[in-house]
Amino acid sequence: MKKNTKARIAYLLFITFLTWLPIIVGVIYSFNSGRSAGTWSGFSLKWYAKLFRDRSMISAFSNSILLGVSSSLLAAVISVPAAISFRNRSSTVVNLTRSALMIPILVPDIILGMVFLAFFRLLDLPFGMLTLIIAHTSFSIPYIYTQVSARLASMDDNLIAASRVLGAGPVRTFFEITLPYISPALLSGMILSFAMSFDDVIISIFVTGVNVNTLPIKVYTQVKTGMTPEVNALCTVMLAVALIGISLSALIKRRYSK
């Protein structure tokens, strides 16, 4: 049994290494002083310096930050009332609504992007930051909703009852009892949804306008013309942002679960 366990662990580590190998190579060569992707010419930060001097890159980065923050906040505004409303309730309508909230996670990104494209064309909305925010808010909702719902499931109903007995209304009870209790889960879900928004490229391509670029779209368009050390540097920055976001989300979730 021990040999089988060790073999499985070794196999998983090997598969993980193969998965991360191209990413690691890209990160390493982002510090290469030469332009060749196959020849190491020495350590240098010049590609990062060039990257941060590129106005189009800075603009795309700013758009990605604005998009991630806006969609996360809007998703939180939608998800928290939904999670509170559906708590301790079970009916056909509630169960169907819960399932509908999870659709953006279950549907492939390319299908979701095509649906958003058709929907925005039907509404005759101009493609740009507005359509990006609407689309990203939609697929961010499940990440926040599931976190908040799981936190609310462990909440003692006597806390709310005691608040009501002491004369607090629903609004005061929410801000002084419910919100502080769910805040770790809410923050964790928002960080995770921000990371997912920051990295999204497939849905964004379908719903963006000609004058609005996000960082993933910028990477995608540059990669089509050939990989350069500057693109490697940009991918490294994006990877770092995503890993930091996901790590913070996991740490927050682990802390409040204890």
Side-chain angles (χ1 to χ4, degrees), residues 68-79 133-134 137 141 144 190:
V69 172
S70 302
S71 60
S72 297
L73 288 173
L74 288 173
V77 171
I78 296 170
S79 302
I133 290 175
I134 294 173
T137 299
I141 288 173
I144 300 177
M190 289 180 68

Side-chain angles (χ1 to χ4, degrees), residues 61 64-65 68 193-200 215-216 237-238 241-242:
F61 179 78
S64 292
I65 295 294
S193 66
F194 174 85
M196 300 304 294
S197 171
F198 191 85
D199 276 355
D200 178 75
L215 213 52
V237 171
M238 291 180 60
V241 172

Side-chain angles (χ1 to χ4, degrees), residues 119 121 249:
F119 178 68
R121 284 193 179 278
S249 176

Side-chain angles (χ1 to χ4, degrees), residues 98-109 111-112 139 142-143:
R98 283 196 186 112
S99 301
L101 287 173
M102 304 307 296
I103 287 177
I105 290 181
L106 303 175
V107 176
D109 284 354
I111 302 298
L112 206 57
F139 73 71
Y143 297 104

Side-chain angles (χ1 to χ4, degrees), residues 67 132 136 197 200-209 214 217:
L67 178 59
L132 279 168
H136 281 232
S197 171
D200 178 75
V201 61
I202 298 177
I203 295 175
S204 298
I205 286 176
F206 280 94
V207 299
T208 191
T214 63
I217 295 176

Side-chain angles (χ1 to χ4, degrees), residues 3-232:
K3 289 184 177 180
N4 290 336
T5 303
K6 289 181 179 179
R8 290 174 183 174
I9 293 174
Y11 175 75
L12 289 174
L13 290 174
F14 178 69
I15 295 299
T16 303
F17 173 74
L18 289 181
T19 303
W20 277 87
L21 183 60
I23 300 174
I24 294 171
V25 171
V27 171
I28 292 173
Y29 273 92
S30 69
F31 299 99
N32 186 18
S33 61
R35 295 191 62 87
S36 173
T39 304
W40 180 259
S41 304
F43 182 86
S44 175
L45 294 174
K46 69 177 184 180
W47 301 113
Y48 287 90
K50 184 179 179 181
L51 174 65
F52 290 112
R53 287 196 303 265
D54 190 333
R55 291 186 178 181
S56 63
M57 287 290 186
I58 298 299
S59 175
F61 179 78
S62 301
N63 288 336
S64 292
I65 295 294
L66 174 62
L67 178 59
V69 172
S70 302
S71 60
S72 297
L73 288 173
L74 288 173
V77 171
I78 296 170
S79 302
V80 171
I84 294 173
S85 300
F86 297 155
R87 182 172 179 259
N88 298 330
R89 292 188 182 183
S90 181
S91 66
T92 303
V93 175
V94 170
N95 292 334
L96 285 175
T97 307
R98 283 196 186 112
S99 301
L101 287 173
M102 304 307 296
I103 287 177
I105 290 181
L106 303 175
V107 176
D109 284 354
I110 190 168
I111 302 298
L112 206 57
M114 293 172 64
V115 169
F116 280 125
L117 174 65
F119 178 68
F120 294 144
R121 284 193 179 278
L122 181 65
L123 296 180
D124 199 24
L125 282 177
F127 287 88
M129 184 56 70
L130 176 62
T131 52
L132 279 168
I133 290 175
I134 294 173
H136 281 232
T137 299
S138 298
F139 73 71
S140 295
I141 288 173
Y143 297 104
I144 300 177
Y145 173 79
T146 51
Q147 299 272 8
V148 174
S149 294
R151 181 65 169 168
L152 283 172
S154 63
M155 186 176 181
D156 189 352
D157 291 332
N158 291 326
L159 293 173
I160 297 177
S163 177
R164 296 292 180 86
V165 169
L166 292 172
V171 176
R172 186 175 180 183
T173 298
F174 171 76
F175 282 105
E176 294 192 6
I177 303 296
T178 307
L179 185 59
Y181 188 85
I182 66 173
S183 58
L186 177 59
L187 182 58
S188 174
M190 289 180 68
I191 292 173
L192 182 58
S193 66
F194 174 85
M196 300 304 294
S197 171
F198 191 85
D199 276 355
D200 178 75
V201 61
I202 298 177
I203 295 175
S204 298
I205 286 176
F206 280 94
V207 299
T208 191
V210 292
N211 296 321
V212 179
N213 251 342
T214 63
L215 213 52
I217 295 176
K218 189 72 175 175
V219 173
Y220 176 75
T221 54
Q222 287 205 353
V223 166
K224 289 197 299 183
T225 60
M227 287 291 292
T228 64
E230 189 179 356
V231 173
N232 286 335

